[in-house]
Amino acid sequence: MQYLILGGGPAGIAAAKTIRKAKSDAGIVIATDETEAPYLRPLLPDLILGEARDETILDPQGRDLVEKGVRFLTGRRAVRLDMGNRKVDFSDGTQDGYDLLLIATGGKPEVPAALKKELPAIRVFDSLKDALGIKERAARPGAAVVYGPGYLAIEACRALRGTKKEVVWIKPDLPKYGYPIAGELEASILDDVRNRGARIMDGDDIVRVWEKDPDTSVVLTRGGVEIPCSLVVIATE
């Protein structure tokens, strides 16, 4: 049996190891569009903050995949599924077949229309590559705007404030997915973010972003406030 797993995160790795325990002779391939070895996403804020390094965020579960006979293919984004022939085409022109296919790619942040622009200041907070880009951009003078309703935005604020960056958190209405933070927990978290020195614009939204110069962009909120900044972090659900 040939097993093909799309997604190199904890779910895909756990699936591969579980299959190996049950099927000692199975062919197992993990394909991911990322180019790095498996890593722990929860530690990305610490990478931005400078409290973690590339090698310290590696996922220990991914270290013995080769020993267990699992092929881990990086830089492979699936672009076409041929269900009739049980094959997957990848963006690099390669193809892999399967008897059983598991899609374990996880979710991707929803980017609002106002932030769907190719501006150097706008960075999605999702992957290791994203975190390194945010860290590099955060070194420039100017404020950082964090956009998002929940936990990811809180962590982005924590990391950026830890780098002494001026932070404005634009916290839109309730998230479309997952569980909203509410009640006493929300009040406590908001107080903690404020105590760290971040400015919170609760219930607001972004309607437009434009580039003023190579180092400065301007965010226009729904309330009519213009915020000059060098970095806009999309930390949505």
Side-chain angles (χ1 to χ4, degrees):
M1 290 283 287
Q2 182 70 23
Y3 294 83
L4 176 58
I5 301 170
L6 303 182
I13 293 173
K17 291 190 172 183
T18 301
I19 293 168
R20 177 55 72 222
K21 285 182 180 178
K23 308 282 186 179
S24 60
D25 59 346
I28 306 172
V29 175
I30 296 177
T32 173
D33 62 346
E34 297 202 52
T35 57
E36 300 83 11
Y39 60 89
L40 299 171
R41 270 180 164 77
L43 296 181
L44 292 180
D46 295 326
L47 184 68
I48 296 172
L49 189 54
E51 295 180 350
R53 302 182 304 279
D54 290 1
E55 61 272 20
T56 62
I57 69 169
L58 293 179
D59 187 347
Q61 293 189 86
R63 291 174 181 167
D64 60 349
L65 291 175
V66 174
E67 297 172 15
K68 294 185 178 298
V70 177
R71 292 171 58 209
F72 191 88
L73 307 178
T74 60
R76 302 282 188 93
R77 177 183 290 276
V79 295
R80 181 176 177 271
L81 172 61
D82 182 349
M83 295 181 66
N85 294 308
R86 294 189 176 183
K87 293 181 179 180
V88 174
D89 293 333
F90 294 97
S91 56
D92 63 354
T94 60
Q95 186 182 73
D96 262 296
Y98 64 87
D99 294 304
L100 288 174
L101 173 68
L102 172 64
I103 300 175
T105 52
K108 291 294 180 184
E110 181 170 310
V111 180
L115 294 175
K116 290 180 179 179
K117 289 189 171 185
E118 294 293 329
L119 294 180
I122 298 178
R123 305 296 175 105
V124 176
F125 187 22
D126 180 52
S127 67
L128 173 58
K129 181 179 178 180
D130 296 329
L132 292 173
I134 290 170
K135 182 178 180 180
E136 182 275 329
R137 188 78 189 184
R140 302 191 180 204
V145 171
V146 174
Y147 178 85
Y151 177 74
L152 291 178
I154 293 166
E155 284 293 275
C157 288
R158 176 181 71 84
L160 291 168
R161 279 302 299 149
T163 65
K164 308 303 180 183
K165 193 81 170 167
E166 179 187 351
V167 175
V168 179
W169 177 14
I170 297 179
K171 183 177 177 294
D173 297 327
L174 295 179
K176 293 183 179 181
Y177 309 103
Y179 297 97
I181 300 172
E184 293 183 5
L185 176 60
E186 179 184 33
S188 174
I189 289 173
L190 293 181
D191 283 344
D192 180 68
V193 173
R194 288 191 185 96
N195 290 338
R196 292 177 184 271
R199 174 187 172 194
I200 303 176
M201 301 180 71
D202 198 3
D204 211 333
D205 217 318
I206 295 176
V207 296
R208 186 184 168 207
V209 182
W210 67 92
E211 191 174 64
K212 183 178 179 181
D213 57 55
D215 290 321
T216 308
S217 291
V218 180
V219 170
L220 176 64
T221 72
R222 185 173 56 194
V225 178
E226 292 187 3
I227 307 171
C229 60
S230 60
L231 173 64
V232 181
V233 177
I234 303 172
T236 50
E237 304 302 317

